[in-house]
Amino acid sequence: MDHDHMSPPPPMAPMKKHYTSMTFFWGRKAEVLFSDWPGDHRGMYALALIVVFLLAAGTEMVTSHRVDRYTSGRSLAQTAVHTLRVGLMYLLMLAVMSFNGGIFIAACIGHAVGFLLFRSAIFSKQRDEPSCPEGTKYRDLPSMSC
């Protein structure tokens, strides 16, 4: 094979500009979870903030529900709920890793509102957990195991 007459490689296609940063920044030019989303569009950035808020609040909702109340012992349902919870938390982590200040604040506020609605004693009576030792109260920060 004659290597002296090889043609040069084709020119590189221009790369799309990605909005990545390794420090927090403010503004709507971000990439959250998917490439080019929300991009540079105000409406899509607002949607991204709402999605991140709902992911955080949803994580708190899933965390607050005890599946073992409705199933006998360890089960496939407990595993499915745990997998859903962890998946939501990883999605949220990836969104916050966009280093966009607005996305970070939306995640924090989503967690706070979700905790207030689903896990704090403000909107629900403190209750005894049937699976916990006698006298143990379900408080603001319940353990996942008891």
Side-chain angles (χ1 to χ4, degrees), residues 16-91:
K16 283 186 171 182
K17 182 179 179 184
H18 291 278
Y19 306 107
T20 56
S21 177
M22 295 306 286
T23 59
F24 276 102
F25 68 96
W26 298 99
R28 67 179 190 268
K29 292 182 181 181
E31 278 190 352
V32 181
L33 297 177
F34 306 103
S35 82
D36 297 327
W37 187 73
D40 192 18
H41 307 286
R42 289 180 195 265
M44 294 304 285
Y45 181 68
L47 179 64
L49 293 174
I50 292 167
V51 166
V52 168
F53 174 88
L54 292 174
L55 273 173
T59 299
E60 294 295 332
M61 182 186 73
V62 170
T63 301
S64 72
H65 288 83
R66 305 257 328 193
V67 177
D68 59 348
R69 259 192 233 151
Y70 310 107
T71 60
S72 58
R74 306 242 179 248
S75 68
L76 188 59
Q78 286 176 313
T79 303
V81 170
H82 175 74
T83 303
L84 175 65
R85 178 180 165 266
V86 170
L88 288 172
M89 293 180 94
Y90 276 127
L91 278 174

